[in-house]
Amino acid sequence: MKRHWSYYVSPFIIGAVGCLVPVALGILALKHEGIDQFLVILFLPVCLILLGLDYFIKSLTTGRVLYIWIVEVVLFAVLFFCLNGFSFVQRC
């Protein structure tokens, strides 16, 4: 059975690919100290968590594309709302 392209290009997959860009840049520039190591340490677990959640949601919704997109967009919105004021730099 052939699946629609939007099954494979779900919001969490797009987010995981977006996390791979800083990871690749961080790995390519690991000879420098500082922000490059931070990129790998921060974004690699986020990428793996997004891929795991995508697999879990796809198995939970039995592959129904509309439900996958609705659940993942709602989870992204909740995550954005919860982390909107989050910052690594402490303000004085």
Side-chain angles (χ1 to χ4, degrees), residues 23-91:
V23 168
L25 291 175
I27 289 174
L28 290 175
L30 268 180
K31 59 186 170 191
H32 305 306
E33 303 239 350
I35 194 72
D36 304 323
Q37 294 172 350
F38 180 71
L39 289 175
V40 175
I41 291 170
L42 180 70
F43 284 106
L44 189 61
V46 171
C47 179
L48 295 175
I49 288 170
L50 285 175
L51 290 174
L53 283 173
D54 182 67
Y55 176 76
F56 177 71
I57 290 171
K58 284 180 180 175
S59 64
L60 191 68
T61 59
T62 61
R64 295 184 177 156
V65 177
L66 180 63
Y67 295 149
I68 292 169
W69 273 77
I70 289 172
V71 169
E72 290 186 3
V73 166
V74 166
L75 285 175
F76 260 136
V78 168
L79 182 67
F80 179 76
F81 180 73
C82 291
L83 295 178
N84 194 15
F86 182 75
S87 175
F88 285 108
V89 179
Q90 185 178 6
R91 297 178 189 167

